[in-house]
Amino acid sequence: MKKIIYSLMIMAGLVAMPGCNDDFMEHSPKDSLTEETVFSTYSTFKTYAWGLYNVFTNGNMLRRPGTGGSYASAVSYQGDINAGYLMRRLGSGNSYAFQTITDAASGNGWNFSFVRNANLMLDNIDNSSMSDVDKEHWRSVGYFFRAYYYMELIARFGDVPWVDQVLQEDSPEAYGPRVDRKTVADKVLERLQWAEQNIGNFTSQDGDNTINQDCVRAVISRFGLREGTWRKYHELGDAEKYLQECVRASELLMAAYPTLYTGTDGQPGAGYGEMWTTEDLGQVPGIILYKSYVKDINPMGMSYIEHTSSHYVEMNQNTVDLYLMKNGKPILADGSGYHGNKDMYAVFRDRDPRLYHTVIPPYKVKSGKGDYPTWSYTDNPADREYIDIMGANESCSNPGVGMKRLPGQNWSASLVPEIPRLGTGAFVTCRSGYYVWKNWDNWETNFNNGNLNTADKPIFKIEEVLLNEAEAKFELGVFDQGVADKTINKLRDRAGVVKMVVADINDSFDPNRGKYYPKGNESGILVDPVLWEIRRERIIELMGEGFGIYDIRRWRMAPWFLNRPATGLWMSKEEAMKNNMTLYNPETGYSDGTDGSLTEGNLYLFNDPLKEGKGWLDKYYLYQVPTTEILLNPELEQNPGW
């Protein structure tokens, strides 16, 4: 039976009863929602805490795994869209690359209402009738949620006010200055460490799939890596403490979750793909916490929308080129066996199967006739290459079977006869040719209603922890083959990619290795070759989960990812024109146009940001503090450059 995480309708901002001299007015009515009644027993604290689980789908959080709703897929991908890994099908290009980030008068993530909700619970623990052990448990839960939210505030703004109690209108802290990042980060880590040691093992009372010690450790792992590397690459000092905490928490979780999910559908990399298309993640090894969706209670529409013309998330050629060959080599490495980029079949051939579970592989079939969509293979055997790899969709006339099978169908079961399918309006089309289908499956109910899907979505899982461990170990100078085998190579084994051999990775291993940009260095420095492979593994394994904009900022690599033109498939001029597309001209940085000189090339998607005089600005590493907040509180200082 699926365990459900969903919010109860709770009034978090309670209003205190006014005082009066009359004795009977000193007593709260027994059936009213006051702090006395809401925060009294273990049961009432548990009921209130359900509302705090909203943080995982909170609209103020940039990375929102498992967010429900008809257009949830784009929301879940947004962090990777911002990082340039993925793109929106239409629009004017990446907002950071083309400097279209506008001044924020309000909003921008500067919101402390969730902090207040957590503090409201924390402030009332000592006055409750609970035992000391139960009080420690709920204090730990409150610390967890507040720390999780503060992790986002720190990532956005750096220095932020530290609020650890419910403030009143006349509280001086409400109009105080921002507290320096290190002080706040230290407090967040201290609270997480306290919660780790004091949270109870109360599954019988709280239920499965609720916040526990492993969830706290997952956040320590994530926060330790994020803050440690930010402090290192932004030259703030004191990085080692956070990195060591990342390693400590990660290794405890690695011991508790030794097995990776290998999937059920028999496809290459099935365990990776099915993490987002499985009915009940409670039965999946390696899942620490997940968002549960249940029919008629809290369904969502993430699979549905990816079967429609409204899905506008696609991958660009730069990101496709990051995927390794199955032999573990980058595409430009000696002996990689790369089949070239002249057509999509060649681009995908012998690549990391995780690519196939993220972008629809190419194929072509012949449409049949009848009341239900039927199909047959074309006369060209090459058109079925990836149908054979992914598994044939033999149940077109009976939708509801299987995971990512080919050929595809739209939400109404209409056949998608071929991929790539270029365009901007018809169902299952995109401009780059690389259509993202991470949440797509065949078994979920898809009708002309966006909220019928019930596949669970992961929130914390051991795969991220393995990547945190590998990266933190490198930054601490202790990454070796043994660490690679316990982390990176477990992920590669599941995906069907040859293992990393650390001794083989040198300066020439990847000719297209990325750069980072220390302060004041506009030309950049090549990332260490081993570290680059660790980061590549992170990008690929977590693709589409929204980590991108956090990662490229903490690495100070944003210019490398964003100051490049985003292009699509290689295509002849004739084929491009046939699809109402043009080619990208690297000489001009713009579309070659129908009268251009190119006879073939990559599909044009957006202009070259640098040739337009644009590109990533250093001020983007931190968000702007909304100007209205500074007007309300002159003690707040603006972030540099804004």
Side-chain angles (χ1 to χ4, degrees):
M1 184 69 179
K2 295 176 70 171
K3 299 295 181 182
I4 305 167
I5 288 182
Y6 61 96
S7 301
L8 302 178
M9 298 299 290
I10 301 170
M11 182 184 295
L14 299 172
V15 180
M17 294 286 290
C20 182
N21 289 330
D22 296 308
D23 182 66
F24 73 89
M25 290 292 289
E26 296 297 321
H27 300 281
S28 301
K30 292 182 179 181
D31 61 350
S32 66
L33 275 178
T34 68
E35 292 186 39
E36 285 183 23
T37 56
V38 169
F39 300 112
S40 56
T41 66
Y42 191 104
S43 178
T44 58
F45 271 86
K46 182 173 72 171
T47 300
Y48 181 86
W50 277 119
L52 298 178
Y53 282 79
N54 277 335
V55 74
F56 298 119
T57 53
N58 188 300
N60 195 52
M61 305 289 283
L62 182 57
R63 180 182 176 272
R64 285 182 270 167
T67 302
S70 297
Y71 294 86
S73 58
V75 172
S76 298
Y77 293 130
Q78 189 59 53
D80 291 342
I81 293 172
N82 289 349
Y85 300 171
L86 304 174
M87 305 177 307
R88 295 175 180 269
R89 183 176 62 197
L90 298 172
S92 55
N94 185 281
S95 298
Y96 294 103
F98 291 97
Q99 299 177 11
T100 56
I101 302 292
T102 57
D103 282 350
S106 61
N108 213 26
W110 188 272
N111 188 309
F112 291 80
S113 60
F114 183 86
V115 173
R116 183 183 188 280
N117 291 344
N119 284 340
L120 190 62
M121 184 178 83
L122 289 166
D123 283 1
N124 283 277
I125 288 174
D126 287 335
N127 294 327
S128 72
S129 63
M130 294 188 295
S131 68
D132 288 344
V133 171
D134 289 348
K135 288 178 181 179
E136 288 183 349
H137 172 69
W138 287 111
R139 200 183 316 278
S140 299
V141 172
Y143 280 174
F144 168 89
F145 280 114
R146 190 175 65 192
Y148 186 82
Y149 192 83
Y150 255 107
M151 186 165 60
E152 175 74 17
L153 291 172
I154 294 169
R156 289 193 184 213
F157 301 104
D159 300 348
V160 290
W162 173 252
V163 183
D164 60 0
Q165 59 184 318
V166 175
L167 301 182
Q168 306 303 322
E169 288 186 10
D170 58 350
S171 297
E173 296 88 349
Y175 299 95
R178 297 162 67 188
V179 178
D180 71 275
R181 181 184 188 123
K182 184 181 185 306
T183 298
V184 178
D186 284 348
K187 289 180 181 295
V188 167
L189 183 59
E190 288 166 5
R191 269 55 173 189
L192 287 170
Q193 291 168 331
W194 192 94
E196 179 189 9
Q197 298 303 315
N198 291 280
I199 196 166
N201 182 18
F202 295 152
T203 301
S204 59
Q205 292 115 302
D206 294 358
D208 293 335
N209 197 32
T210 52
I211 302 304
N212 57 23
Q213 188 179 59
D214 289 343
C215 295
V216 178
R217 287 172 174 164
V219 173
I220 292 174
S221 172
R222 182 183 297 178
F223 182 59
L225 177 67
R226 184 183 291 180
E227 188 62 19
T229 49
W230 183 284
R231 302 198 73 79
K232 176 178 179 177
Y233 291 100
H234 290 261
E235 303 170 20
L236 299 180
D238 202 25
E240 188 170 306
K241 173 179 71 176
Y242 291 94
L243 295 171
Q244 288 175 339
E245 272 299 284
C246 170
V247 168
R248 183 191 65 80
S250 297
E251 291 183 350
L252 290 169
L253 289 171
M254 289 163 62
Y257 298 85
T259 305
L260 299 187
Y261 182 53
T262 56
T264 61
D265 216 34
Q267 301 162 324
Y272 169 81
E274 290 178 30
M275 197 69 68
W276 300 87
T277 56
T278 294
E279 174 72 26
D280 185 3
L281 285 181
Q283 307 303 312
V284 170
I287 293 294
I288 300 169
L289 188 73
Y290 62 96
K291 175 70 175 177
S292 179
Y293 290 101
V294 181
K295 182 181 179 182
D296 298 330
I297 296 178
N298 65 331
M300 49 76 188
M302 295 177 77
S303 178
Y304 160 77
I305 203 66
E306 293 184 10
H307 288 76
T308 73
S309 60
S310 296
H311 183 54
Y312 52 77
V313 182
E314 58 183 336
M315 190 177 285
N316 59 65
Q317 190 67 53
N318 294 330
T319 304
V320 173
D321 289 346
L322 285 174
Y323 283 78
L324 295 171
M325 303 297 291
K326 288 183 70 176
N327 62 16
K329 294 187 176 183
I331 60 173
L332 298 181
D334 291 339
S336 71
Y338 182 49
H339 298 278
N341 66 343
K342 299 305 181 184
D343 65 76
M344 193 172 175
Y345 290 87
V347 170
F348 273 55
R349 191 168 298 128
D350 296 325
R351 298 295 288 278
D352 183 335
R354 287 173 289 190
L355 177 60
Y356 308 156
H357 287 271
T358 308
V359 174
I360 302 184
Y363 67 85
K364 183 180 290 186
V365 297
K366 292 191 292 188
S367 300
K369 297 180 180 179
D371 295 333
Y372 294 99
T374 60
W375 64 275
S376 60
Y377 291 111
T378 70
D379 297 330
N380 183 357
D383 289 335
R384 63 179 289 173
E385 178 177 359
Y386 298 97
I387 299 177
D388 292 340
I389 290 173
M390 299 301 290
N393 182 8
E394 297 174 350
S395 58
C396 275
S397 61
N398 182 27
V401 178
M403 296 293 182
K404 288 178 167 61
R405 305 281 179 81
L406 299 177
Q409 299 166 259
N410 81 337
W411 63 272
S412 66
S414 295
L415 187 69
V416 180
E418 63 181 341
I419 292 291
R421 185 175 166 91
L422 302 180
T424 59
F427 61 84
V428 193
T429 61
C430 68
R431 294 205 308 151
S432 71
Y434 300 115
Y435 186 96
V436 172
W437 68 335
K438 192 174 183 75
N439 295 283
W440 174 306
D441 58 57
N442 288 0
W443 65 265
E444 290 188 87
T445 301
N446 292 311
F447 190 60
N448 194 16
N449 182 327
N451 290 321
L452 296 174
N453 301 154
T454 57
D456 292 343
K457 306 300 176 183
I459 295 173
F460 302 123
K461 54 192 174 75
I462 197 62
E463 288 83 353
E464 181 202 345
V465 174
L466 296 178
L467 294 162
N468 295 346
E469 164 84 355
E471 190 178 339
K473 279 285 186 75
F474 181 90
E475 298 293 359
L476 290 169
V478 291
F479 183 85
D480 57 16
Q481 188 62 47
V483 177
D485 290 341
K486 293 177 182 177
T487 57
I488 302 296
N489 287 335
K490 289 189 72 170
L491 299 171
R492 289 197 183 181
D493 281 346
R494 178 178 67 176
V497 177
V498 170
K499 293 180 179 180
M500 171 190 285
V501 179
V502 177
D504 290 347
I505 302 172
N506 54 32
D507 284 341
S508 61
F509 188 74
D510 184 2
N512 194 31
R513 191 161 90 243
K515 290 183 176 183
Y516 72 101
Y517 297 79
K519 292 180 181 179
N521 187 329
E522 294 185 358
S523 31
I525 299 172
L526 286 172
V527 176
D528 178 276
V530 175
L531 179 57
W532 176 239
E533 295 309 311
I534 294 170
R535 290 179 178 178
R536 182 208 304 276
E537 195 73 24
R538 180 181 182 87
I539 292 169
I540 299 312
E541 180 71 27
L542 301 181
M543 181 63 65
E545 298 186 37
F547 285 96
I549 193 61
Y550 300 94
D551 290 343
I552 68 170
R553 289 163 59 229
R554 66 185 176 86
W555 296 333
R556 287 194 69 93
M557 286 190 69
W560 191 85
F561 286 98
L562 293 172
N563 291 353
R564 302 183 290 171
T567 61
L569 285 167
W570 188 276
M571 192 168 286
S572 70
K573 177 179 178 179
E574 180 182 8
E575 282 296 310
M577 293 177 63
K578 193 182 300 183
N579 286 280
N580 297 314
M581 299 285 290
T582 57
L583 303 179
Y584 174 76
N585 189 328
E587 296 297 322
T588 65
Y590 294 91
S591 167
D592 196 56
T594 55
D595 298 324
S597 59
L598 298 180
T599 58
E600 60 180 356
N602 290 101
L603 289 173
Y604 166 80
L605 303 177
F606 301 105
N607 299 336
D608 184 328
L610 291 186
K611 290 189 176 181
E612 283 206 348
K614 305 294 185 181
W616 176 270
L617 298 175
D618 216 47
K619 70 177 184 178
Y620 292 152
Y621 281 113
L622 292 174
Y623 285 35
Q624 180 186 23
V625 178
T627 54
T628 54
E629 297 294 335
I630 295 176
L631 288 173
L632 290 170
N633 179 11
E635 290 292 313
L636 297 176
E637 294 184 2
Q638 187 56 269
N639 274 325
W642 291 100

